[in-house]
Amino acid sequence: MKALILVGGFGTRLRPLTLSRPKPLVEFANKPIVLHQIEALAEAGVKHVILAVSYRAELLEKEMRVEEARLGIKISLSRETTPLGTAGPLALAKELLGEDEEPFFVLNSDIICEYPFKTMLQFHRAHKKEGTIAVTKVTEPSKYGVVVYEEATGEIGRFVEKPKEFISNRINAGMYIFNPSVLKRIEVRFMSVEKEVFPFMAKDSELYAFDLQGFWMDIGQPKDFITGMGLYLTYLHHSHPHLLTKGEGIVGSVLVDPSAKIGAGCRIGPNVVIGPNVVIEDGKRRVHNACKYALMDAWTYVD
């Protein structure tokens, strides 16, 4: 099975984090953003991941060769010479995505969640239609384009942009599964999957909604990146507490890279991520009342 991850943007919304590295390689909880997705895809049985890239592809390729060997999967780069939007990259990678009849995943690279890919694939195979969109619940649907669908079956009827009255509180979560037949709907040009593909699939009764459970965040902007970090730490606390750092001076959900050096008498947490090679001198504090969530990137020094 294959997956395509849309990583072709310049990451302008996430500056300054993307000034020195492409967005997919920006570390989120001490791991490149895109690696969270690739590892989850590999665990779900995906054997070939295609990265739709345009910006600083050489850095991505170098990093992905290492991960390819570690995970035992194939990672290919599909290079855009001009921006192709959210649909055009699928057509550009048509030879790879359409070489068999297996469905494939498509992901926006800004999404962090629990990645229930196995359950989502089971749902897709069960309804036997052309496409599945993961949808997530929001508290203020009037700020978004919402997805209207039959709760009993998941069949999507329509999309409504920023509704004035309540009609749905589910939005597109940026994760999809398609059958290869969807490639007939897409051209190699700048094309929006949300506006130029999904409405026509829904009209043909070929598009279904998978209701995403658990936390979800689009971390494409700095404030959402930090909020997403807090949600992720809370998820680890409840589901994978062994991955969090424990010990004297650690309070709540804290993630510390093994290469970081923390002095005596420090109080760290809650909701803190400390990156590689960070040095914190004796008696320093990173506490909840100083900032909602704290992120200390690589080579930070606190005296």
Side-chain angles (χ1 to χ4, degrees), residues 26-32 36 225-234 236 243-245 250-258 260 262 268-280 286-287 291-300 302:
V26 170
E27 292 210 344
F28 179 89
N30 292 340
K31 185 188 300 183
H36 286 269
F225 188 94
I226 297 298
T227 300
M229 192 82 72
L231 293 173
Y232 179 71
L233 290 172
T234 300
L236 291 182
L243 297 177
L244 294 172
T245 301
I250 299 296
V251 181
S253 301
V254 174
L255 199 58
V256 180
D257 187 88
I262 300 175
I268 309 296
N271 298 318
V272 174
V273 173
I274 297 178
N277 303 300
V278 168
V279 177
I280 302 178
R286 283 282 146 187
V287 296
C291 54
K292 189 172 183 182
Y293 306 112
L295 167 62
M296 304 185 71
D297 207 351
W299 298 100
T300 301
V302 180

Short mmCIF file of all heavy atoms in Angstrom, two decimals, residues 26-32 36 225-234 236 243-245 250-258 260 262 268-280 286-287 291-300 302:
data_model
loop_
_atom_site.label_atom_id
_atom_site.label_comp_id
_atom_site.label_asym_id
_atom_site.label_seq_id
_atom_site.Cartn_x
_atom_site.Cartn_y
_atom_site.Cartn_z
N VAL A 26 10.99 20.34 10.46
CA VAL A 26 10.89 21.05 11.73
C VAL A 26 10.50 20.04 12.80
O VAL A 26 9.57 19.25 12.62
CB VAL A 26 9.85 22.18 11.64
CG1 VAL A 26 9.56 22.76 13.03
CG2 VAL A 26 10.33 23.28 10.72
N GLU A 27 11.20 20.06 13.92
CA GLU A 27 10.94 19.06 14.95
C GLU A 27 9.71 19.41 15.77
O GLU A 27 9.55 20.53 16.25
CB GLU A 27 12.16 18.89 15.85
CG GLU A 27 13.33 18.26 15.12
CD GLU A 27 14.23 17.44 16.03
OE1 GLU A 27 14.13 17.59 17.26
OE2 GLU A 27 15.01 16.63 15.49
N PHE A 28 8.85 18.42 15.92
CA PHE A 28 7.66 18.51 16.75
C PHE A 28 7.80 17.42 17.81
O PHE A 28 7.84 16.24 17.48
CB PHE A 28 6.40 18.29 15.91
CG PHE A 28 5.12 18.34 16.71
CD1 PHE A 28 4.46 19.55 16.90
CD2 PHE A 28 4.59 17.19 17.28
CE1 PHE A 28 3.28 19.60 17.63
CE2 PHE A 28 3.42 17.24 18.00
CZ PHE A 28 2.76 18.45 18.20
N ALA A 29 7.92 17.82 19.08
CA ALA A 29 8.16 16.85 20.15
C ALA A 29 9.41 16.02 19.87
O ALA A 29 9.43 14.80 20.00
CB ALA A 29 6.95 15.96 20.37
N ASN A 30 10.47 16.73 19.45
CA ASN A 30 11.79 16.14 19.22
C ASN A 30 11.84 15.11 18.10
O ASN A 30 12.66 14.19 18.11
CB ASN A 30 12.35 15.53 20.52
CG ASN A 30 12.67 16.59 21.55
OD1 ASN A 30 12.85 17.76 21.21
ND2 ASN A 30 12.74 16.19 22.81
N LYS A 31 10.95 15.29 17.13
CA LYS A 31 10.94 14.42 15.95
C LYS A 31 10.42 15.23 14.78
O LYS A 31 9.44 15.97 14.94
CB LYS A 31 10.04 13.21 16.20
CG LYS A 31 10.04 12.17 15.09
CD LYS A 31 8.96 11.09 15.34
CE LYS A 31 9.20 10.36 16.62
NZ LYS A 31 8.20 9.29 16.82
N PRO A 32 11.03 15.14 13.58
CA PRO A 32 10.50 15.89 12.44
C PRO A 32 9.01 15.65 12.24
O PRO A 32 8.53 14.51 12.39
CB PRO A 32 11.31 15.34 11.26
CG PRO A 32 12.61 14.93 11.88
CD PRO A 32 12.25 14.39 13.24
N HIS A 36 6.47 11.75 12.21
CA HIS A 36 5.32 11.27 12.99
C HIS A 36 4.35 10.55 12.05
O HIS A 36 3.81 9.47 12.38
CB HIS A 36 4.60 12.44 13.67
CG HIS A 36 5.33 13.01 14.84
ND1 HIS A 36 5.15 12.57 16.13
CD2 HIS A 36 6.25 14.00 14.92
CE1 HIS A 36 5.91 13.25 16.96
NE2 HIS A 36 6.59 14.15 16.24
N PHE A 225 1.07 25.39 16.52
CA PHE A 225 2.17 24.45 16.75
C PHE A 225 2.35 24.23 18.25
O PHE A 225 2.47 23.08 18.72
CB PHE A 225 3.45 25.03 16.14
CG PHE A 225 4.62 24.10 16.13
CD1 PHE A 225 4.90 23.31 15.03
CD2 PHE A 225 5.47 24.03 17.23
CE1 PHE A 225 6.00 22.46 15.01
CE2 PHE A 225 6.57 23.19 17.22
CZ PHE A 225 6.84 22.40 16.11
N ILE A 226 2.34 25.31 19.02
CA ILE A 226 2.50 25.21 20.47
C ILE A 226 1.29 24.54 21.11
O ILE A 226 1.42 23.67 21.99
CB ILE A 226 2.74 26.61 21.08
CG1 ILE A 226 4.03 27.21 20.53
CG2 ILE A 226 2.78 26.53 22.60
CD1 ILE A 226 5.28 26.42 20.86
N THR A 227 0.08 24.92 20.67
CA THR A 227 -1.13 24.28 21.19
C THR A 227 -1.13 22.79 20.88
O THR A 227 -1.45 21.96 21.74
CB THR A 227 -2.39 24.93 20.59
OG1 THR A 227 -2.42 26.32 20.93
CG2 THR A 227 -3.66 24.27 21.12
N GLY A 228 -0.75 22.46 19.65
CA GLY A 228 -0.68 21.05 19.26
C GLY A 228 0.32 20.28 20.09
O GLY A 228 0.10 19.10 20.41
N MET A 229 1.42 20.92 20.49
CA MET A 229 2.41 20.28 21.34
C MET A 229 1.78 19.88 22.68
O MET A 229 2.00 18.78 23.20
CB MET A 229 3.58 21.21 21.57
CG MET A 229 4.79 20.55 22.19
SD MET A 229 5.79 19.70 20.98
CE MET A 229 6.51 21.09 20.12
N GLY A 230 0.99 20.79 23.24
CA GLY A 230 0.32 20.49 24.50
C GLY A 230 -0.67 19.34 24.37
O GLY A 230 -0.74 18.46 25.23
N LEU A 231 -1.43 19.33 23.27
CA LEU A 231 -2.37 18.23 23.03
C LEU A 231 -1.64 16.90 22.88
O LEU A 231 -2.09 15.87 23.38
CB LEU A 231 -3.19 18.52 21.77
CG LEU A 231 -4.16 19.71 21.84
CD1 LEU A 231 -4.77 19.98 20.47
CD2 LEU A 231 -5.26 19.45 22.87
N TYR A 232 -0.50 16.95 22.20
CA TYR A 232 0.28 15.73 21.98
C TYR A 232 0.84 15.20 23.30
O TYR A 232 0.81 14.00 23.58
CB TYR A 232 1.40 16.00 20.99
CG TYR A 232 2.28 14.81 20.70
CD1 TYR A 232 1.80 13.74 19.95
CD2 TYR A 232 3.58 14.76 21.18
CE1 TYR A 232 2.60 12.64 19.69
CE2 TYR A 232 4.39 13.66 20.92
CZ TYR A 232 3.90 12.61 20.18
OH TYR A 232 4.69 11.52 19.92
N LEU A 233 1.36 16.10 24.14
CA LEU A 233 1.88 15.69 25.44
C LEU A 233 0.78 15.08 26.32
O LEU A 233 1.01 14.09 27.02
CB LEU A 233 2.53 16.87 26.15
CG LEU A 233 3.85 17.38 25.56
CD1 LEU A 233 4.27 18.67 26.25
CD2 LEU A 233 4.94 16.33 25.63
N THR A 234 -0.40 15.66 26.26
CA THR A 234 -1.54 15.11 27.01
C THR A 234 -1.91 13.73 26.50
O THR A 234 -2.20 12.80 27.28
CB THR A 234 -2.75 16.05 26.91
OG1 THR A 234 -2.41 17.32 27.45
CG2 THR A 234 -3.95 15.50 27.66
N LEU A 236 0.17 11.60 25.06
CA LEU A 236 1.20 10.69 25.55
C LEU A 236 0.98 10.33 27.02
O LEU A 236 1.15 9.18 27.43
CB LEU A 236 2.59 11.30 25.39
CG LEU A 236 3.12 11.47 23.96
CD1 LEU A 236 4.54 12.03 24.01
CD2 LEU A 236 3.10 10.17 23.18
N LEU A 243 6.71 7.02 27.34
CA LEU A 243 7.51 7.84 26.43
C LEU A 243 7.88 9.20 27.04
O LEU A 243 8.76 9.89 26.52
CB LEU A 243 6.75 8.08 25.12
CG LEU A 243 6.45 6.83 24.28
CD1 LEU A 243 5.64 7.20 23.05
CD2 LEU A 243 7.74 6.13 23.89
N LEU A 244 7.22 9.56 28.15
CA LEU A 244 7.49 10.84 28.79
C LEU A 244 8.66 10.71 29.77
O LEU A 244 8.97 9.62 30.25
CB LEU A 244 6.25 11.34 29.53
CG LEU A 244 5.06 11.71 28.63
CD1 LEU A 244 3.83 11.98 29.48
CD2 LEU A 244 5.38 12.92 27.76
N THR A 245 9.28 11.84 30.04
CA THR A 245 10.41 11.87 30.96
C THR A 245 9.92 11.89 32.40
O THR A 245 8.99 12.63 32.75
CB THR A 245 11.28 13.11 30.68
OG1 THR A 245 11.72 13.07 29.33
CG2 THR A 245 12.47 13.17 31.62
N ILE A 250 10.74 16.81 37.66
CA ILE A 250 9.86 16.76 36.49
C ILE A 250 8.42 16.80 36.97
O ILE A 250 7.99 15.97 37.79
CB ILE A 250 10.10 15.47 35.66
CG1 ILE A 250 11.54 15.42 35.16
CG2 ILE A 250 9.12 15.40 34.51
CD1 ILE A 250 11.92 16.53 34.20
N VAL A 251 7.65 17.75 36.45
CA VAL A 251 6.27 17.94 36.87
C VAL A 251 5.34 17.80 35.67
O VAL A 251 5.47 18.53 34.68
CB VAL A 251 6.07 19.33 37.51
CG1 VAL A 251 4.62 19.51 37.96
CG2 VAL A 251 7.02 19.53 38.67
N GLY A 252 4.42 16.86 35.71
CA GLY A 252 3.44 16.70 34.64
C GLY A 252 4.06 16.11 33.38
O GLY A 252 5.02 15.35 33.42
N SER A 253 3.48 16.47 32.24
CA SER A 253 3.89 15.92 30.94
C SER A 253 5.10 16.67 30.39
O SER A 253 4.99 17.83 29.99
CB SER A 253 2.72 16.00 29.95
OG SER A 253 1.61 15.28 30.44
N VAL A 254 6.23 16.00 30.37
CA VAL A 254 7.49 16.61 29.94
C VAL A 254 8.23 15.63 29.04
O VAL A 254 8.27 14.42 29.32
CB VAL A 254 8.38 16.97 31.15
CG1 VAL A 254 9.74 17.48 30.68
CG2 VAL A 254 7.70 18.02 32.02
N LEU A 255 8.81 16.14 27.96
CA LEU A 255 9.60 15.34 27.04
C LEU A 255 10.98 15.97 26.94
O LEU A 255 11.11 17.12 26.53
CB LEU A 255 8.91 15.32 25.67
CG LEU A 255 9.25 14.22 24.68
CD1 LEU A 255 8.98 12.83 25.26
CD2 LEU A 255 8.46 14.42 23.40
N VAL A 256 12.01 15.22 27.31
CA VAL A 256 13.38 15.73 27.30
C VAL A 256 14.24 14.84 26.42
O VAL A 256 14.29 13.62 26.61
CB VAL A 256 13.97 15.78 28.73
CG1 VAL A 256 15.41 16.32 28.69
CG2 VAL A 256 13.11 16.63 29.65
N ASP A 257 14.95 15.45 25.46
CA ASP A 257 15.86 14.67 24.62
C ASP A 257 17.01 14.14 25.47
O ASP A 257 17.51 14.84 26.36
CB ASP A 257 16.42 15.57 23.50
CG ASP A 257 17.23 14.78 22.50
OD1 ASP A 257 16.63 14.26 21.53
OD2 ASP A 257 18.47 14.67 22.69
N PRO A 258 17.44 12.90 25.21
CA PRO A 258 18.51 12.29 26.01
C PRO A 258 19.81 13.09 26.03
O PRO A 258 20.60 13.00 26.97
CB PRO A 258 18.72 10.92 25.35
CG PRO A 258 17.42 10.62 24.69
CD PRO A 258 16.89 11.94 24.24
N ALA A 260 20.07 16.35 26.19
CA ALA A 260 19.94 17.59 26.96
C ALA A 260 20.57 17.43 28.34
O ALA A 260 20.59 16.33 28.91
CB ALA A 260 18.47 17.97 27.09
N ILE A 262 20.36 18.87 32.19
CA ILE A 262 19.55 19.64 33.13
C ILE A 262 20.27 19.66 34.47
O ILE A 262 20.61 18.61 35.02
CB ILE A 262 18.15 19.03 33.27
CG1 ILE A 262 17.45 19.03 31.91
CG2 ILE A 262 17.33 19.82 34.29
CD1 ILE A 262 16.11 18.34 31.91
N ILE A 268 11.04 21.27 36.01
CA ILE A 268 10.68 21.27 34.60
C ILE A 268 9.24 20.81 34.44
O ILE A 268 8.88 19.71 34.87
CB ILE A 268 11.59 20.33 33.79
CG1 ILE A 268 13.08 20.62 34.08
CG2 ILE A 268 11.30 20.46 32.30
CD1 ILE A 268 13.55 21.97 33.67
N GLY A 269 8.39 21.65 33.83
CA GLY A 269 7.03 21.24 33.54
C GLY A 269 6.00 22.03 34.32
O GLY A 269 6.35 22.88 35.15
N PRO A 270 4.72 21.73 34.07
CA PRO A 270 4.25 20.74 33.10
C PRO A 270 4.22 21.28 31.67
O PRO A 270 4.42 22.46 31.44
CB PRO A 270 2.84 20.43 33.59
CG PRO A 270 2.38 21.73 34.20
CD PRO A 270 3.62 22.33 34.83
N ASN A 271 3.97 20.38 30.73
CA ASN A 271 3.81 20.70 29.30
C ASN A 271 5.04 21.39 28.72
O ASN A 271 4.98 22.50 28.20
CB ASN A 271 2.56 21.57 29.08
CG ASN A 271 1.30 20.87 29.49
OD1 ASN A 271 1.12 19.68 29.21
ND2 ASN A 271 0.41 21.57 30.17
N VAL A 272 6.17 20.69 28.79
CA VAL A 272 7.43 21.22 28.29
C VAL A 272 8.11 20.18 27.39
O VAL A 272 8.12 19.00 27.71
CB VAL A 272 8.37 21.60 29.45
CG1 VAL A 272 9.75 22.00 28.93
CG2 VAL A 272 7.78 22.72 30.28
N VAL A 273 8.67 20.64 26.28
CA VAL A 273 9.51 19.81 25.42
C VAL A 273 10.90 20.45 25.38
O VAL A 273 11.03 21.64 25.05
CB VAL A 273 8.94 19.69 23.99
CG1 VAL A 273 9.94 18.96 23.09
CG2 VAL A 273 7.61 18.96 24.01
N ILE A 274 11.92 19.68 25.70
CA ILE A 274 13.29 20.17 25.69
C ILE A 274 14.05 19.39 24.62
O ILE A 274 14.12 18.16 24.65
CB ILE A 274 13.96 20.00 27.06
CG1 ILE A 274 13.21 20.86 28.08
CG2 ILE A 274 15.43 20.40 27.00
CD1 ILE A 274 13.73 20.74 29.49
N GLY A 275 14.61 20.10 23.65
CA GLY A 275 15.22 19.50 22.49
C GLY A 275 16.65 19.05 22.71
O GLY A 275 17.21 19.14 23.80
N PRO A 276 17.29 18.54 21.63
CA PRO A 276 18.64 18.02 21.71
C PRO A 276 19.67 19.08 22.10
O PRO A 276 19.58 20.23 21.66
CB PRO A 276 18.93 17.50 20.30
CG PRO A 276 17.67 17.58 19.55
CD PRO A 276 16.71 18.41 20.29
N ASN A 277 20.62 18.68 22.94
CA ASN A 277 21.77 19.50 23.32
C ASN A 277 21.42 20.77 24.08
O ASN A 277 22.26 21.68 24.19
CB ASN A 277 22.61 19.85 22.07
CG ASN A 277 23.07 18.61 21.34
OD1 ASN A 277 23.77 17.77 21.90
ND2 ASN A 277 22.65 18.46 20.09
N VAL A 278 20.21 20.86 24.59
CA VAL A 278 19.83 21.99 25.44
C VAL A 278 20.58 21.87 26.77
O VAL A 278 20.75 20.78 27.32
CB VAL A 278 18.31 22.01 25.67
CG1 VAL A 278 17.94 23.01 26.78
CG2 VAL A 278 17.58 22.36 24.38
N VAL A 279 21.03 23.00 27.29
CA VAL A 279 21.68 23.04 28.61
C VAL A 279 20.89 23.97 29.52
O VAL A 279 20.67 25.14 29.19
CB VAL A 279 23.14 23.53 28.50
CG1 VAL A 279 23.76 23.64 29.89
CG2 VAL A 279 23.96 22.58 27.63
N ILE A 280 20.47 23.46 30.67
CA ILE A 280 19.77 24.27 31.67
C ILE A 280 20.60 24.23 32.95
O ILE A 280 20.86 23.17 33.50
CB ILE A 280 18.34 23.74 31.94
CG1 ILE A 280 17.52 23.73 30.63
CG2 ILE A 280 17.64 24.60 32.99
CD1 ILE A 280 16.12 23.19 30.79
N ARG A 286 11.14 25.90 34.48
CA ARG A 286 10.27 26.05 33.31
C ARG A 286 8.90 25.61 33.79
O ARG A 286 8.63 24.42 33.90
CB ARG A 286 10.73 25.15 32.16
CG ARG A 286 11.93 25.67 31.42
CD ARG A 286 11.55 26.79 30.46
NE ARG A 286 12.62 27.76 30.37
CZ ARG A 286 12.52 28.91 29.73
NH1 ARG A 286 11.40 29.25 29.15
NH2 ARG A 286 13.53 29.74 29.69
N VAL A 287 8.04 26.55 34.16
CA VAL A 287 6.80 26.19 34.85
C VAL A 287 5.59 26.64 34.07
O VAL A 287 5.65 27.51 33.20
CB VAL A 287 6.77 26.81 36.27
CG1 VAL A 287 7.89 26.23 37.12
CG2 VAL A 287 6.89 28.32 36.21
N CYS A 291 4.45 30.15 30.97
CA CYS A 291 3.88 30.11 29.63
C CYS A 291 3.02 28.85 29.55
O CYS A 291 3.28 27.88 30.26
CB CYS A 291 4.95 30.10 28.55
SG CYS A 291 6.16 28.79 28.73
N LYS A 292 2.03 28.86 28.70
CA LYS A 292 1.11 27.73 28.66
C LYS A 292 1.82 26.45 28.30
O LYS A 292 1.65 25.41 28.93
CB LYS A 292 -0.01 28.01 27.64
CG LYS A 292 -1.13 26.97 27.70
CD LYS A 292 -2.31 27.38 26.85
CE LYS A 292 -3.44 26.37 26.99
NZ LYS A 292 -4.59 26.70 26.14
N TYR A 293 2.63 26.48 27.25
CA TYR A 293 3.47 25.35 26.88
C TYR A 293 4.85 25.91 26.53
O TYR A 293 4.96 26.98 25.96
CB TYR A 293 2.92 24.60 25.66
CG TYR A 293 1.49 24.17 25.83
CD1 TYR A 293 0.48 24.74 25.06
CD2 TYR A 293 1.15 23.21 26.76
CE1 TYR A 293 -0.84 24.36 25.22
CE2 TYR A 293 -0.18 22.83 26.93
CZ TYR A 293 -1.15 23.41 26.15
OH TYR A 293 -2.46 23.03 26.32
N ALA A 294 5.90 25.18 26.88
CA ALA A 294 7.25 25.65 26.58
C ALA A 294 7.93 24.68 25.63
O ALA A 294 7.84 23.47 25.79
CB ALA A 294 8.06 25.78 27.87
N LEU A 295 8.63 25.22 24.64
CA LEU A 295 9.40 24.44 23.69
C LEU A 295 10.81 25.00 23.66
O LEU A 295 11.01 26.17 23.35
CB LEU A 295 8.78 24.52 22.30
CG LEU A 295 9.63 24.01 21.13
CD1 LEU A 295 9.91 22.52 21.30
CD2 LEU A 295 8.94 24.28 19.81
N MET A 296 11.79 24.15 24.00
CA MET A 296 13.18 24.59 23.97
C MET A 296 13.88 23.81 22.88
O MET A 296 14.08 22.60 22.98
CB MET A 296 13.84 24.37 25.34
CG MET A 296 13.07 25.07 26.46
SD MET A 296 13.90 24.96 28.05
CE MET A 296 15.26 26.04 27.76
N ASP A 297 14.24 24.53 21.80
CA ASP A 297 14.79 23.89 20.61
C ASP A 297 16.26 23.53 20.81
O ASP A 297 16.88 23.88 21.82
CB ASP A 297 14.64 24.84 19.41
CG ASP A 297 14.54 24.08 18.09
OD1 ASP A 297 14.76 22.87 18.10
OD2 ASP A 297 14.26 24.75 17.07
N ALA A 298 16.80 22.83 19.81
CA ALA A 298 18.17 22.33 19.90
C ALA A 298 19.19 23.43 20.20
O ALA A 298 19.08 24.54 19.70
CB ALA A 298 18.54 21.62 18.59
N TRP A 299 20.18 23.11 21.05
CA TRP A 299 21.30 23.96 21.39
C TRP A 299 20.92 25.21 22.19
O TRP A 299 21.67 26.17 22.27
CB TRP A 299 22.10 24.36 20.14
CG TRP A 299 22.70 23.18 19.43
CD1 TRP A 299 22.21 22.56 18.31
CD2 TRP A 299 23.86 22.45 19.81
NE1 TRP A 299 23.00 21.49 17.96
CE2 TRP A 299 24.03 21.40 18.86
CE3 TRP A 299 24.78 22.56 20.85
CZ2 TRP A 299 25.08 20.50 18.94
CZ3 TRP A 299 25.83 21.66 20.91
CH2 TRP A 299 25.97 20.64 19.97
N THR A 300 19.71 25.22 22.78
CA THR A 300 19.33 26.34 23.66
C THR A 300 20.14 26.26 24.95
O THR A 300 20.41 25.18 25.47
CB THR A 300 17.83 26.26 24.00
OG1 THR A 300 17.09 26.32 22.78
CG2 THR A 300 17.41 27.42 24.90
N VAL A 302 20.25 27.91 28.87
CA VAL A 302 19.55 28.71 29.88
C VAL A 302 20.46 28.81 31.09
O VAL A 302 20.82 27.80 31.71
CB VAL A 302 18.21 28.05 30.28
CG1 VAL A 302 17.50 28.90 31.32
CG2 VAL A 302 17.32 27.87 29.05
#
